[in-house]
Amino acid sequence: MELMWRTSHVSGGNAHYVEALYEQYLVDPNAVPDEWRNYFDKLPRPEGSPSRDIPLSPIRDQFYQLGQSRRSAQGVATSDSSESKKQVKVLQLINAYRFRGHQKADIDPLDLRKPVPIPDLDLSFHQLSKADMDTEFQTGSFFLGKDKAPLKEIVDALEQTYCRSIGCEFMHIVDTEEKRWLQQRFESVRSKPKFSDEVRKHVLERLTAAEGLESYLASKYPGTKRFGLEGGETFIPMMDEIIQRVGGYGSKEVVIGMAHRGRLNLLVNILGKSPSELIEEFDGKKVIEKGSGDVKYHQGFSSNVMTAGGEVHLALAFNPSHLEIVSPVVEGSVRARQDRRDDAEGDKVLPINIHGDAAFAGQGVVMETFQMSQTRGFKTGGTLHIVINNQVGFTTSHPQDTRSTEYCTDIAKMVQAPIFHVNGDDADAVLHATQVAVDYRQQFHKDVVIDLVCYRRRGHNEADEPSGTQPMMYQKIKAHKSSRELYAARLVEDGVLSADQAKDLIEKYREDLLAGNHVANALVKEPNKELFVDWSAYLGHEWTGDADTTMDMKRMQQLAARMCEIPDGIQVQRQVAKIYEDRRKMHAGGMALNWGFAETLAYATLLEQGHPIRLIGQDSGRGTFSHRHAVVHNQKDGTTYVPLEHIGDGQPRFTIHDSFLSEEAVLAFEYGYATTMPNALVIWEAQFGDFFNGAQMVVDQFISSGESKWGRLCGLTLLLPHGYEGQGPEHSSARLERFLQLCAEHNMQVCVPTTPAQIYHLLRRQVIRPIRKPLVVMSPKSLLRHKEATSTLEELAHGRFNMVLADVGKLDAEKVKRVVLCAGKVYYDLAAYRSENEREDTAIVRIEQLYPFPKEELYEVLKGYTNLEQLVWCQEEPLNQGAWYQSQHHMRVVADMLENGLGRELKFAGRPASAAPAAGYMSVHVEQQRQLVDDAFNA
Ligand code: AMP
C-alpha cells in the first residue's frame, strides 16, 4: 500500500480527486469503480487502533470527521413524544435485522430450508405499522448513506442487506469496532456491490472451468470415484478470489486443508496441476517412486500463482480420509512458515481450511482447532474457514440427525468468528462474502467462516445412488440448473456478454483440457523456488542409528553455564532455585548429571548449532514432574524468563508453550509444524504417556504413515512418560505396544532411554542426522530423580546414543549363564535385585531402541557370553502389552545368530495378561513388580 501511495497518481495533486472519490465511497460504495471500492474496502477503519493509520492524512481526517458527524447524527431525541418512542423502535428493528435477518435470507439454492417464524422482524413486534412507512426516521448506526429516511426505505434496505443471498451472523461478536466494520461492509452496499463486467466475466470463466472439469471427467470415467464438486462449483471462483486478494495484501504463502470433495477441481483449476497428470492417474498409469502411495483425492500439491501483489506460493495439504483432522495440521504448517518469516501478525501466510457441513458440526477436533486460534503457542493470525455445505453431509444425513445446532457452523461462535452463509448459486454474493471475509481476516487477524450453501448433484461418490435415501432432495436437484448456467443467464440478461460468448467459454476450456494445457490461469510456470520449503538436504538418506553427537568439552561447558544463568532481579521460587543451583554444581563437575540437566543441555547445544526448537505440551514449561523448569517465573511480578532464549546472539528461535488441554489438535498441529520446518527439533510432550490416546488418529494417519503414503518426511519427537510406578491404569503406560505395532519399513523410531546421557544424545541425534523420521520416546517419571540414573560430563561430550546398553556391572562374562533383556525403568529394579542377591551369573542388557530393532548391536553384546544358557525378556507391562508380542521375533533372530542358538528358548518375565494397562491398587502393583523381577532371575 505504501508503494502505491508513493508511486501512483493518488499522491500529490491528485489527492483531492481521491478525497472526493473517498467521500463518495463513504456515502455509497457502489458509486465508485470496482478497483477504488476494493482499495477503500481494505483501508483500516478510523475507529480502529491508532497504530493502523493510513498514510494520506486528509482522507483519514475526512473519515474521522464523517464518523463524528454520523455519531452525532445518531443522537436520538430525548423527549418522551410518541415520535421519539417510535424512533427508538426503528433502531431496535434495525438491530433485529442484524441479529436475525440471516434466518430469513435466501441462502439455500434448493429452497429446502424450512421457514421459521421470526417475530422480531415484524413491524408489529416493534409497535410499528404500515402507517409509519412514509414517516422519516433517523437511521442511527445503519449505513444507509443518509441520516434520515422513510421507514419504508429503511426496511427495504434492511431486507436487501440481510435477507437476500447472504445470511450474516456477526452480532455475537462483542468487540464494537469489529461489528461496526462488518455492518459497514454489508449495509453500505446492501450486501450486493456492483461488480464490473470484467470481474463478472472472470467469475463466469472460473465457474465454467469448475463445471468443465467435472463434466469432462464424468464423461470419460463414468462411475469412477472422484468426489466431484458438482453443485458446489462456486467454490472455485471463491478460492480464486481469496488467493488473488491476499496476494494483493502482500501475503506470500497460502496453505490449504480440504477433504475429498472438489479436491481434484481445486488441484487442476486453482493450483495448476497438469490435467494430463491427473488423467494419467485416472488411467492408473502413474507410479509412485517410493512408499505405498495414496488415492488421488488425498494428494497434496504445491505451486506458485501470480497476483497483484506478486507471486504467492500455494500448498495443499495431503490428508487422510477422516475429515477435519487436517485442519490443525494446516495450522501447524502455517505457523512454521510464519515463524520462518518472522511474521508474528500472520500477514504473510494465510491458512484456509475447507470443511464438509456434517464433519464441521460433528468432529470434536473442529472445536479444538478454534480453541487454539488465539493462543500464544498456536495462533496463525486468523483462519479462513469455508464450509462446502451440501446440506446432506455424507450419505443419509438429515440435519435432525447430524446436529443439535441451527447451523452446521454454530461452533465457530465460540471464538466469536463472523459467519457468512451464502447461496452457492449466487456467484456475485459469493464474491462479496469472500472479499469481506478476506478483508476481515487481514484487518482483525481472527477466524472467519464462509458457509457456502450448495448441494451435491451426485451421491457421496460417483458410484453411489443418492435418491435411495434422499428422494425429495434429489428430485429437486435433478430439475435444478447448474450454478454456471444460472450465472451465465444472469450475465446475458445484464448485457455483460452474449449467450454465444458464454458458450465459447465452455468450448475453450474443453479444448485446453484436451490439449493437456494448464487451466489455472494465474499459474507461474517457472516458480520462484525460494517460496518453497527446502527439503533437499533431507531427501534420499537410508536410515542409520549413527550420528556424531559429540561436542568439544569446553564449548559444551560454556553452554551449560549459560543455560543456568538467571539475571539478577528475578526472584526465583525456592525449589526452582535449588534445581538451578544443582545444575550449576553439575556443570562444575561437583555433582552427577541428572535428566533435567542433560535434556536442557541437549537443547542449548542444538540451539548453538543453529537448530530452532519448539517444545509443546500441557506442562512443558515446568515438566509434568517438575524436572525441567525451562521457564522461570519471577516471584515478584509473575513475569517469566527463559534461559534457553539467551544462549547466544543470533541464536535460532526457542519456543516453549504449555498447551491448552487438547491432544488431538495439538499433536496434529505439531505434525504440521515439523513437516514444514526440517531444520528444527519439534517436540510434543504428553502429560502422561497414555494421553496420546486422544490423538491416536494423528499417530495412525500421519505420524506412522505420512512418509509412506505421501512422501512427507517428519522429524517430530514425542515424549511420552511411561513406567510402572503404582499410579494406576491410566498413568502407567504410554501403550508402547501400539507404537511398535505400527512400525514397519523404518517409518519411525521407538526408544526407551534410561540415562541422562542417552536422552542427550538421542535428542541431538534426531536433528543432527540429515534423516527426518518421527521419534517416539518412552520417557521417564521417577527416573528423572533416580540416584542411579546419572551420567558424567564426559559421557555427554564424547559419547553417542547407544541403541543397546551392555551390562555395566563388573561381571566375568564366562560365568554368565543368563541374560535378562529389558527396556526402560525396570532395568533399575533388576540391577537392584542383582546386587542385593549377588547374582553374578546374570547379565542385564538394555535395548534402548526397540525400533528399528538393533539386531547387530545386540548380537555384538550377547556373543561375549559364551556360556549363555537362558535368555529372558523382562518387562513391567502385562504379557499382552509392552514390547513382548511386537518385538520378540527380532530378539529370536538375534538369539539364533548366537553359536548356541537360543531362539526358541527366549522366556518372558512380566505381568500376567491384563485388560487394563496396570493395577489400580498399590499393593497389587508392588507384588506384581516383585514377582516379575524375581521371575527374570529365577523362573
Ligand atoms: P510446500 O512449501 O509445503 O509447498 O513444500 C514445497 C515442496 O517441498 C513440496 O513440493 C515437496 O517437494 C517438498 N516438501 C514439503 N514438505 C515436505 C516434507 N515434509 N518432506 C519432504 N518433502 C517435503
Side-chain angles (χ1 to χ4, degrees):
M1 189 166 84
E2 284 277 5
L3 187 72
M4 175 170 170
W5 286 117
R6 270 189 276 117
T7 57
S8 80
H9 56 284
V10 171
S11 52
N14 287 334
H16 291 301
Y17 165 71
V18 182
E19 277 182 46
L21 262 182
Y22 195 54
E23 264 183 77
Q24 212 176 350
Y25 161 85
L26 288 172
V27 176
D28 177 7
N30 271 334
V32 301
D34 259 2
E35 59 272 31
W36 279 110
R37 188 175 59 245
N38 261 337
Y39 182 71
F40 293 142
D41 279 350
K42 292 180 182 173
L43 286 181
R45 296 289 162 246
E47 284 171 272
S49 73
S51 63
R52 292 207 188 109
D53 271 358
I54 53 173
L56 194 64
S57 52
I59 285 191
R60 185 191 51 203
D61 293 341
Q62 187 71 35
F63 197 107
Y64 268 108
Q65 276 165 23
L66 197 97
Q68 296 298 331
S69 67
R70 288 185 68 79
R71 265 198 299 281
S72 61
Q74 286 164 23
V76 176
T78 49
S79 82
D80 256 1
S81 68
S82 90
E83 200 179 311
S84 67
K85 272 192 195 147
K86 281 205 170 158
Q87 173 63 63
V88 172
K89 298 292 175 195
V90 169
L91 296 181
Q92 284 173 350
L93 178 71
I94 291 171
N95 254 355
Y97 270 92
R98 287 168 171 166
F99 269 105
R100 298 198 63 186
H102 57 88
Q103 290 182 294
K104 196 179 166 191
D106 175 23
I107 56 171
D108 176 8
L110 300 179
D111 213 12
L112 290 170
R113 190 159 85 132
K114 294 214 169 67
V116 288
I118 317 165
D120 318 33
L121 302 190
D122 280 346
L123 290 180
S124 59
F125 185 86
H126 301 280
Q127 287 113 49
L128 296 165
S129 72
K130 287 218 165 101
D132 300 310
M133 281 305 212
D134 294 328
T135 313
E136 283 211 326
F137 291 97
Q138 285 179 1
T139 51
S141 63
F142 188 44
F143 288 84
L144 191 64
K146 47 177 121 171
D147 296 337
K148 279 184 118 191
L151 181 57
K152 181 170 180 339
E153 196 179 325
I154 294 174
V155 172
D156 284 350
L158 286 167
E159 284 280 329
Q160 286 169 5
T161 304
Y162 291 111
C163 304
R164 286 197 290 195
S165 297
I166 304 177
C168 304
E169 286 191 277
F170 53 71
M171 293 302 278
H172 52 278
I173 297 173
V174 171
D175 185 272
T176 311
E177 183 200 346
E178 286 180 43
K179 255 190 311 212
R180 276 271 171 279
W181 187 96
L182 288 159
Q183 285 160 6
Q184 189 270 339
R185 290 299 302 274
F186 287 105
E187 292 171 0
S188 62
V189 290
R190 315 277 186 276
S191 299
K192 197 173 181 173
K194 290 190 187 109
F195 293 114
S196 69
D197 289 358
E198 279 322 299
V199 167
R200 297 179 88 198
K201 271 192 231 169
H202 177 71
V203 171
L204 179 64
E205 189 277 325
R206 290 288 79 200
L207 253 184
T208 309
E211 188 176 291
L213 182 73
E214 298 300 346
S215 61
Y216 173 73
L217 293 176
S219 60
K220 190 148 192 249
Y221 304 98
T224 304
K225 263 197 212 177
R226 67 188 147 85
F227 297 97
L229 186 60
E230 292 112 315
E233 288 92 340
T234 340
F235 170 68
I236 293 297
M238 171 192 275
M239 287 300 289
D240 180 61
E241 176 63 20
I242 292 171
I243 291 160
Q244 289 301 320
R245 203 161 178 93
V246 292
Y249 273 111
S251 295
K252 294 287 162 229
E253 296 181 71
V254 176
V255 186
I256 306 164
M258 86 176 282
H260 316 72
R261 188 161 313 287
R263 195 183 185 90
L264 303 183
N265 215 309
L266 182 81
L267 277 168
V268 171
N269 284 322
I270 297 291
L271 283 109
K273 180 171 177 155
S274 135
S276 32
E277 208 178 302
L278 180 74
I279 283 159
E280 272 181 24
E281 285 171 12
F282 268 92
D283 290 339
K285 283 195 198 137
K286 193 151 187 235
V287 186
I288 46 159
E289 284 144 29
K290 238 176 149 213
S292 51
D294 203 346
V295 293
K296 46 190 167 300
Y297 37 82
H298 289 170
Q299 304 291 352
F301 197 75
S302 306
S303 65
N304 288 7
V305 293
M306 189 50 76
T307 71
E311 226 168 302
V312 172
H313 179 67
L314 307 179
L316 173 67
F318 292 79
N319 78 263
S321 256
H322 213 87
L323 308 185
E324 296 304 338
I325 188 62
V326 82
S327 303
V329 175
V330 164
E331 300 296 336
S333 176
V334 167
R335 177 69 180 243
R337 290 164 208 260
Q338 291 172 343
D339 283 354
R340 198 158 58 93
R341 294 174 176 281
D342 278 327
D343 175 22
E345 287 286 306
D347 288 325
K348 299 277 173 236
V349 192
L350 171 76
I352 307 179
N353 275 317
I354 296 144
H355 315 264
D357 48 331
F360 199 58
Q363 298 280 306
V365 73
V366 176
M367 169 277 193
E368 292 188 16
T369 312
F370 275 119
Q371 195 60 273
M372 61 178 32
S373 65
Q374 292 295 319
T375 58
R376 284 188 291 180
F378 305 95
K379 69 179 174 193
T380 51
T383 298
L384 214 58
H385 296 272
I386 300 166
V387 181
I388 302 185
N389 183 349
N390 61 32
Q391 309 191 64
V392 70
F394 36 103
T395 299
T396 54
S397 351
H398 188 280
Q400 283 165 335
D401 300 322
T402 50
R403 58 180 191 259
S404 299
T405 50
E406 181 172 7
Y407 295 107
C408 64
T409 51
D410 284 357
I411 186 74
K413 289 182 186 163
M414 68 179 266
V415 291
Q416 296 182 33
I419 301 161
F420 312 138
H421 310 278
V422 57
N423 189 321
D425 268 355
D426 185 344
D428 288 335
V430 170
L431 190 62
H432 181 51
T434 304
Q435 292 183 344
V436 179
V438 172
D439 296 351
Y440 172 87
R441 189 269 175 191
Q442 293 302 107
Q443 176 105 354
F444 298 104
H445 294 109
K446 289 187 175 168
D447 286 22
V448 50
V449 180
I450 305 175
D451 177 19
L452 181 69
V453 186
C454 48
Y455 57 93
R456 198 187 64 193
R457 191 165 286 279
R458 298 169 191 269
H460 176 58
N461 60 57
E462 287 65 25
D464 185 40
E465 174 48 60
S467 47
T469 49
Q470 302 288 341
M472 307 323 287
M473 178 184 257
Y474 277 83
Q475 273 170 32
K476 278 216 159 188
I477 290 175
K478 275 187 192 123
H480 194 75
K481 286 195 174 141
S482 75
S483 308
R484 189 205 58 81
E485 273 179 287
L486 294 170
Y487 193 60
R490 193 181 310 166
L491 296 203
V492 171
E493 195 183 305
D494 292 350
V496 176
L497 43 54
S498 68
D500 282 345
Q501 284 170 323
K503 230 170 118 210
D504 287 348
L505 291 176
I506 303 176
E507 300 303 323
K508 164 90 176 59
Y509 184 81
R510 181 59 81 110
E511 275 163 26
D512 281 344
L513 213 53
L514 290 174
N517 296 339
H518 285 283
V519 286
N521 27 27
L523 182 73
V524 178
K525 305 266 167 49
E526 294 196 358
N528 173 4
K529 287 277 177 192
E530 278 174 23
L531 293 171
F532 285 56
V533 179
D534 185 6
W535 279 86
S536 53
Y538 306 92
L539 301 174
H541 301 284
E542 289 301 318
W543 192 86
T544 166
D546 269 340
D548 180 4
T549 49
T550 60
M551 187 176 241
D552 171 65
M553 176 68 91
K554 221 168 130 204
R555 190 166 145 221
M556 191 186 86
Q557 279 188 301
Q558 280 166 354
L559 291 167
R562 244 177 272 159
M563 77 183 198
C564 298
E565 276 170 22
I566 300 173
D568 293 342
I570 294 182
Q571 192 181 321
V572 185
Q573 191 265 348
R574 199 165 48 84
Q575 279 97 339
V576 181
K578 168 90 170 61
I579 286 176
Y580 273 81
E581 256 161 50
D582 285 351
R583 281 186 192 164
R584 280 180 212 115
K585 284 185 200 152
M586 291 171 202
H587 149 248
M591 200 173 169
L593 313 185
N594 67 12
W595 201 277
F597 179 92
E599 186 197 316
T600 312
L601 189 54
Y603 301 143
T605 53
L606 287 173
L607 288 168
E608 209 253 352
Q609 287 174 276
H611 299 282
I613 295 176
R614 179 177 163 91
L615 170 50
I616 299 291
Q618 284 159 4
D619 223 344
S620 59
R622 182 194 73 170
T624 302
F625 314 101
S626 289
H627 81 289
R628 186 173 294 127
H629 283 289
V631 181
V632 178
H633 295 258
N634 189 344
Q635 301 298 297
K636 277 196 295 204
D637 58 11
T639 54
T640 54
Y641 182 79
V642 181
L644 286 168
E645 287 174 356
H646 304 275
I647 289 303
D649 290 342
Q651 71 166 81
R653 195 183 284 270
F654 177 74
T655 306
I656 186 160
H657 283 294
D658 295 339
S659 79
F660 68 118
L661 221 63
S662 138
E663 290 84 29
E664 186 179 356
V666 170
L667 186 55
F669 186 103
E670 300 311 320
Y671 173 83
Y673 196 99
T675 47
T676 316
M677 191 70 101
N679 187 30
L681 175 65
V682 185
I683 300 178
W684 178 70
E685 182 178 52
Q687 199 174 76
F688 281 95
D690 58 310
F691 277 33
F692 93 89
N693 275 326
Q696 182 74 56
M697 192 196 306
V698 184
V699 174
D700 290 352
Q701 301 191 327
F702 292 97
I703 292 175
S704 64
S705 56
E707 183 183 346
S708 178
K709 292 190 292 192
W710 314 311
R712 280 305 195 244
L713 304 177
C714 175
L716 180 62
T717 297
L718 272 56
L719 298 182
L720 309 177
H722 174 88
Y724 281 60
E725 289 158 5
Q727 293 197 12
E730 308 311 331
H731 292 331
S732 296
S733 174
R735 311 307 306 232
L736 173 62
E737 61 281 0
R738 296 221 200 119
F739 288 99
L740 291 174
Q741 189 222 2
L742 294 169
C743 287
E745 303 178 277
H746 289 166
N747 58 342
M748 52 187 182
Q749 310 153 92
V750 180
C751 296
V752 201
T754 54
T755 70
Q758 283 287 82
I759 188 69
Y760 173 84
H761 289 292
L762 180 60
L763 290 172
R764 286 177 52 72
R765 182 184 83 163
Q766 181 67 353
V767 195
I768 284 172
R769 274 178 319 184
I771 293 169
R772 290 295 173 264
K773 296 269 180 193
L775 167 64
V776 181
V777 182
M778 298 287 124
S779 62
K781 295 179 285 184
S782 65
L783 276 201
L784 296 170
R785 290 183 183 79
H786 197 290
K787 63 182 186 337
E788 302 292 325
T790 57
S791 299
T792 62
L793 284 168
E794 269 299 307
E795 285 171 307
L796 266 55
H798 305 309
R800 64 197 279 271
F801 176 67
N802 295 296
M803 293 181 271
V804 175
L805 279 180
D807 195 299
V808 291
K810 292 190 181 66
L811 297 178
D812 178 350
E814 290 209 354
K815 287 194 189 149
V816 169
K817 299 264 173 6
R818 177 185 286 245
V819 168
V820 178
L821 302 172
C822 65
K825 177 206 132 249
V826 71
Y827 164 76
Y828 291 96
D829 295 347
L830 292 166
Y833 178 96
R834 182 174 65 182
S835 94
E836 271 164 32
N837 294 278
E838 297 178 359
R839 290 290 297 267
E840 292 185 359
D841 62 337
T842 303
I844 310 169
V845 174
R846 283 169 273 179
I847 303 177
E848 304 262 306
Q849 178 174 291
L850 285 162
Y851 191 84
F853 194 86
K855 290 195 185 102
E856 288 301 325
E857 289 78 1
L858 182 58
Y859 173 72
E860 286 303 314
V861 171
L862 293 186
K863 77 175 188 196
Y865 300 116
T866 46
N867 295 318
L868 185 61
E869 288 171 9
Q870 276 159 335
L871 196 55
V872 180
W873 166 255
C874 177
Q875 66 178 35
E876 295 181 302
E877 299 87 352
L879 176 78
N880 55 323
Q881 297 167 33
W884 175 240
Y885 282 139
Q886 302 302 332
S887 300
Q888 54 172 280
H889 58 294
H890 295 304
M891 296 180 225
R892 285 186 207 282
V893 167
V894 178
D896 278 341
M897 287 157 69
L898 298 171
E899 260 175 39
N900 51 355
L902 286 163
R904 253 159 266 125
E905 312 231 355
L906 179 68
K907 294 278 193 312
F908 172 81
R911 288 184 160 77
S914 161
Y921 298 107
M922 195 56 155
S923 55
V924 179
H925 160 79
V926 169
E927 173 50 24
Q928 284 180 339
Q929 193 79 6
R930 189 203 59 72
Q931 186 67 54
L932 72 92
V933 171
D934 197 274
D935 286 351
F937 284 89
N938 304 311

